[in-house]
């Protein structure tokens, strides 16, 4: 039976993108299966989705969007019921005033427009998107809503009694904080803290701009925008957080640092570090969340290869010497040191640390926080610790020549010293210490191990997807048969458990024991090229090789390895 071809169907036939018979069949089948014409045409492979989207945009005189480039975190929630999103295959993009903008692959469905307008109470405006890309975006949007809803439900059910403020390090204001009037602002901040803890976030960023105030979480090393409260709340949010951290709320022109501790209903204590920074449009606040549940001090959990772990353990067993852990901020250096200290922690050892600030507390270890206001600097604290009969010392970071000299002297006089340095590789750490004034002979005789590292996002085990990469391309990237004979590469997909295809993190390590031959290279002033040659000769993994090995093992993606090395 012939079907009258009108609208988009007729346009496709006129432009010879699809023949008349196929369009008639498509219209009949789409109606029978209760699908849109665009969806049926693409699924039946009668036309490419890109060509169809361009023609649809022109036919209906509507804009065309590349949905892959749209930030789904900006999509409004609770405006269109998720059942309607699934039923009509639309994606809400924005809701401003009385207008709702949605993406669709077929704007000719008037029933869908009327139903969405009725339930939302808003005037619906359509934007055209490619069919398959729209499906993928809708799935991701629904997963984000599902994860957010489940987290919010859990949070709301516990909010009244979940957070209390620990009085162990408080003045009389602790009681004031715990009995603070439950205003929406206070509930909003408590909600954010609980959501960040539930999602495993390491930091919360409160960022004011001229017309926008955004809040982002750092999850698995990357920042993700979570919400945008009204700009008028900028000063009130900053003041509330500064009260919690015992900062001066009247001082808005200078940076401030503070901290507070919250205790959950499960009796779990979580430390929150707070940093305020005056900006053009108000104070930016960053909260660092130090959650003990996100801290696994087992050396096996770090992600070192067996040879690397053995080298680290061997260095830890020495009675004296210097272990250097290097890498940029956020690369997991502190966790590597804490894991080593946890292994060494015993009644027969006197272990002391100097940190700024103390990130993880370990029973049985004497931990000292640097406090510049009372004159407790790294160098001064180190001198004091050396008078306390220590066996093992951990220093948070070498920042200057004075501190470096004390560290080297301690490592030469019967102490095992562990510390960090902000450089990009093991070789660069030697260059850095030489540049600040440590003599070569001291470095050669003192350093026993250098570890350089990065933290990468780990692929979600529930949804990671195998991907075929040509052998030539793998070799060009550096993934040779010598490194791994049978590499199996995966990419991030995304599911309800992870959202973006990643869950947790794993380390890439460059572990270099300082042998006699390397000591000679250091003594002779050898720079990066000689250092690298030594590593190749000893078959030691550099950061790039370690990253590619994790790719071949299916633990992370090639894109993630390329991002970090």
């Amino acid at each position: 039976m012939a079907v009258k071809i009108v609208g988009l169907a007729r346009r496709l036939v006129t432009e010879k993108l699809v023949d008349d018979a196929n369009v008639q069949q498509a219209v009949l089948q789409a109606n029978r299966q209760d699908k849109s014409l665009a969806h049926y045409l693409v699924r039946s492979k009668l036309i490419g989705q890109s060509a169809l989207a361009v023609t649809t945009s022109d036919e209906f005189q509507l804009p065309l969007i590349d949905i892959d480039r749209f930030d789904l975190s900006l999509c409004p929630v609770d405006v269109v019921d998720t059942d309607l999103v699934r039923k009509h295959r639309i994606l809400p993009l924005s809701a401003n005033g009385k207008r709702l903008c949605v993406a669709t692959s077929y704007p000719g469905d008037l029933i869908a427009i009327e139903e969405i307008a009725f339930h939302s109470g808003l005037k619906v405006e359509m934007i055209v998107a490619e069919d398959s890309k729209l499906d993928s975006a809708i799935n991701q949007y629904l997963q984000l809503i599902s994860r957010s809803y489940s987290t919010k439900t859990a949070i709301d059910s516990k909010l009244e009694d979940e957070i209390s403020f620990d009085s162990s390090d408080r003045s009389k204001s602790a009681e004031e904080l715990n009995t603070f009037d439950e205003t929406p602002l206070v509930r909003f901040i408590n909600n954010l803290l609980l959501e960040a803890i539930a999602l495993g976030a390491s930091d919360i960023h409160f960022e004011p701009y001229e017309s926008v105030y955004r809040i982002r979480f750092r999850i698995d090393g990357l920042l993700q925008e979570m919400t945008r409260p009204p700009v008028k709340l900028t000063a009130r949010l900053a003041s509330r957080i500064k009260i919690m951290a015992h900062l001066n709320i009247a001082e808005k022109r200078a940076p401030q640092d503070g901290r507070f501790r919250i205790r959950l209903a499960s009796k779990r204590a979580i430390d929150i570090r707070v940093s305020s920074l005056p900006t053009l449009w108000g104070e930016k606040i960053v909260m660092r969340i130090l959650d003990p549940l996100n801290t696994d001090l087992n050396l096996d959990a770090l992600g070192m290869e067996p040879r690397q772990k053995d080298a680290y353990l061997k260095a830890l067993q020495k009675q004296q010497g210097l272990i250097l852990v290097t890498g940029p901020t956020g690369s997991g250096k502190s966790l590597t040191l804490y894991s080593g200290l946890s292994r060494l922690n015993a009644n027969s050892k006197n272990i002391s640390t100097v940190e700024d600030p103390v990130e993880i507390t370990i029973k049985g270890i004497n931990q000292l926080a640097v406090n510049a206001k009372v004159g407790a600097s790294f160098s001064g604290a180190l001198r004091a610790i050396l008078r306390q009969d220590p066996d093992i010392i951990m220093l948070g970071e070498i920042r200057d020549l004075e501190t470096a000299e004390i560290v080297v002297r301690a490592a030469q006089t019967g102490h095992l010293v562990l510390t960090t340095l902000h450089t990009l590789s093991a070789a660069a750490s030697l260059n850095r210490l030489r540049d600040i004034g440590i003599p070569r002979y001291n470095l050669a005789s003192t350093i026993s191990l250098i570890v350089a590292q990065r933290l990468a996002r780990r692929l979600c085990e529930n949804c990671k997807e195998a991907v075929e990469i040509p052998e030539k391309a793998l070799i060009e990237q550096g993934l040779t048969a010598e490194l791994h004979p049978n590499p199996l590469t995966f990419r991030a997909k995304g599911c309800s458990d992870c959202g973006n295809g990643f869950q947790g993190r794993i380390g890439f390590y460059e572990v270099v024991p300082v042998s006699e031959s390397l000591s000679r290279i250091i003594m002779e002033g050898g720079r990066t090229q000689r250092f690298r040659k030594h590593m190749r000769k000893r078959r030691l993994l550099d950061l790039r090789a370690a990253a590619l090995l994790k790719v071949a093992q299916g633990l992370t993606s090639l894109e993630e390895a390329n991002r970090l090395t």
Side-chain angles (χ1 to χ4, degrees):
M1 181 179 73
V3 178
K4 186 177 180 180
I5 303 300
V6 296
L8 177 62
R10 183 175 58 190
R11 177 70 175 269
L12 295 172
V13 173
T14 301
E15 296 192 3
K16 298 181 180 180
L17 294 172
V18 187
D19 61 47
D20 186 86
N22 280 333
V23 164
Q24 291 206 32
Q25 181 68 14
V27 171
L28 282 171
Q29 291 299 323
N31 288 333
R32 286 173 184 168
Q33 298 176 22
D34 196 23
K35 294 180 179 178
S36 73
L37 176 62
H39 190 62
Y40 183 85
L41 287 169
V42 171
R43 289 299 177 272
S44 302
K45 298 183 179 179
L46 295 173
I47 187 173
Q49 64 169 343
S50 179
L52 177 60
V54 170
T55 306
T56 303
S57 171
D58 189 54
E59 173 66 22
F60 288 92
Q61 292 296 291
L62 293 173
L64 177 64
I65 185 174
D66 183 355
I67 205 72
D68 282 347
R69 296 179 178 272
F70 189 80
D71 185 354
L72 297 180
S73 66
L74 301 178
C75 292
V77 296
D78 299 330
V79 176
V80 180
D81 190 270
T82 54
D83 289 338
L84 291 180
V85 171
R86 293 187 183 94
K87 177 181 177 182
H88 298 302
R89 297 181 59 257
I90 60 94
L91 178 68
L93 299 177
S94 64
N96 298 313
K98 295 185 177 181
R99 297 186 304 170
L100 171 65
C101 180
V102 301
T104 179
S105 62
Y106 184 63
D109 189 347
L110 299 180
I111 295 176
I113 298 173
E114 291 174 0
E115 190 172 0
I116 294 165
F118 175 78
H119 284 278
S120 66
L122 302 172
K123 181 182 178 182
V124 178
E125 297 180 353
M126 314 291 267
I127 293 182
V128 178
E130 295 180 24
D131 190 83
S132 297
K133 290 183 178 181
L134 179 65
D135 270 349
S136 176
I138 289 173
N139 287 335
Q140 292 179 53
Y141 170 74
L142 293 174
Q143 288 167 9
L144 287 172
I145 288 180
S146 174
R147 186 176 67 178
S148 176
Y149 177 77
S150 61
T151 303
K152 185 178 185 301
T153 301
I155 288 167
D156 286 346
S157 67
K158 301 183 292 183
L159 188 59
E160 294 298 331
D161 61 353
E162 183 69 21
I163 286 183
S164 64
F165 291 85
D166 196 335
S167 60
S168 61
D169 58 347
R170 291 283 175 270
S171 62
K172 62 181 180 180
S173 60
E175 294 164 4
E176 295 172 7
L177 282 169
N178 279 327
T179 57
F180 198 94
D181 180 32
E182 278 293 317
T183 64
L185 185 72
V186 174
R187 288 181 59 83
F188 175 74
I189 293 175
N190 287 354
N191 194 326
L192 276 175
L193 279 168
L194 288 168
E195 186 173 3
I197 292 166
L199 294 175
S202 61
D203 302 85
I204 308 175
H205 290 240
F206 298 78
E207 301 172 311
Y209 299 96
E210 182 177 13
S211 57
V212 172
Y213 188 59
R214 70 177 179 182
I215 295 175
R216 295 189 291 173
F217 291 176
R218 187 176 294 280
I219 302 173
D220 293 336
L222 294 182
L223 285 169
Q224 300 179 23
E225 184 170 328
M226 304 305 292
T227 185
R228 292 191 177 192
V231 176
K232 63 183 180 181
L233 292 180
T234 298
R236 291 175 60 195
L237 281 168
S239 294
R240 169 59 184 170
I241 295 168
K242 288 167 75 175
I243 288 172
M244 294 162 69
H246 291 277
L247 301 178
N248 183 358
I249 61 172
E251 178 56 76
K252 299 180 180 179
R253 298 169 299 175
Q256 296 186 69
D257 295 294
R259 65 188 299 152
F260 61 93
R261 172 176 290 186
I262 59 175
R263 194 171 292 277
L264 306 185
S266 59
K267 304 303 180 184
R268 179 162 117 239
I270 296 176
D271 286 316
I272 313 290
R273 280 166 43 194
V274 176
S275 171
S276 73
L277 179 70
T279 68
L280 187 61
W281 306 109
E283 288 182 280
K284 174 178 177 177
I285 306 286
V286 176
M287 289 183 176
R288 167 65 58 88
I289 301 171
L290 305 173
D291 187 352
L293 280 192
N294 291 335
T295 306
D296 188 349
L297 298 183
N298 188 339
L299 276 174
D300 295 328
L302 292 178
M304 288 183 179
E305 296 302 316
R307 278 188 66 198
Q308 295 178 327
K309 191 179 91 169
D310 289 344
Y312 188 32
L313 287 172
K314 187 176 180 180
L316 289 171
Q317 297 307 313
K318 293 185 177 181
Q319 296 300 309
Q320 67 179 48
L322 177 61
I323 297 176
L324 268 180
V325 180
T326 184
T329 301
S331 60
K333 299 185 298 296
S334 295
L335 185 59
T336 300
L337 292 183
Y338 281 121
S339 298
L341 289 181
S342 180
R343 177 64 70 97
L344 294 171
N345 194 10
N347 286 333
S348 60
K349 300 289 185 182
N350 178 16
I351 305 176
S352 297
T353 74
V354 186
E355 305 169 63
D356 183 20
V358 175
E359 295 188 14
I360 302 171
T361 57
I362 303 177
K363 186 177 180 180
I365 293 180
N366 310 292
Q367 296 175 269
L368 173 62
V370 170
N371 188 344
K373 293 179 181 178
V374 297
S377 63
F378 274 117
S379 56
L382 265 177
R383 288 192 183 93
I385 283 175
L386 286 170
R387 294 191 291 271
Q388 292 275 313
D389 185 31
D391 296 300
I392 300 162
I393 300 170
M394 191 270 270
L395 176 72
E397 180 188 349
I398 293 178
R399 295 182 177 177
D400 52 44
L401 175 58
E402 183 183 12
T403 306
E405 287 176 337
I406 300 172
V407 164
V408 169
R409 195 179 309 124
Q412 290 175 332
T413 54
H415 306 94
L416 178 64
V417 182
L418 296 83
T419 188
T420 73
L421 202 61
H422 281 91
T423 59
L424 298 180
S425 67
S429 64
L430 293 173
N431 297 338
R432 167 72 175 151
L433 289 172
R434 280 194 294 250
D435 290 342
I436 66 174
I438 300 298
R440 295 195 300 264
Y441 60 84
N442 275 342
L443 296 179
S445 62
T446 304
I447 299 175
S448 56
L449 185 78
I450 308 173
V451 179
Q453 65 181 80
R454 301 289 187 276
L455 273 183
R457 293 180 295 168
R458 184 193 288 266
L459 285 167
C460 174
E461 290 296 329
N462 295 324
C463 68
K464 66 181 182 181
E465 189 175 62
V467 57
E468 292 287 341
I469 300 178
E471 184 179 355
K472 183 179 178 182
L474 289 176
I475 292 173
E476 288 175 352
Q477 292 283 344
L479 188 48
T480 61
E482 183 182 5
L483 185 62
H484 198 291
N486 299 302
L488 185 58
T489 53
F490 293 85
R491 64 184 172 194
K493 183 180 180 183
C495 65
S496 57
D497 287 338
C498 64
N500 62 358
F502 296 96
Q503 198 168 47
R505 292 202 277 178
I506 192 167
F508 305 153
Y509 295 90
E510 186 176 282
V511 180
V512 186
V514 179
S515 59
E516 289 185 12
S517 57
L518 184 54
S519 292
R520 284 195 297 270
I521 293 172
I522 297 170
M523 279 287 292
E524 294 166 4
R527 292 280 173 168
T528 302
Q529 289 301 324
R530 288 190 67 186
F531 192 95
R532 293 292 182 194
K533 185 177 179 181
H534 169 85
M535 288 184 63
R536 286 193 297 270
K537 185 177 179 181
R538 294 299 180 98
R539 301 177 69 84
L540 299 174
L541 294 173
D542 60 15
L543 282 170
R544 178 63 179 173
L548 291 173
L549 192 54
K550 292 293 187 290
V551 173
Q553 293 167 350
L555 297 173
T556 192
S557 66
L558 184 58
E559 292 78 13
E560 189 72 357
N562 288 337
R563 180 176 72 87
L564 292 167
T565 61

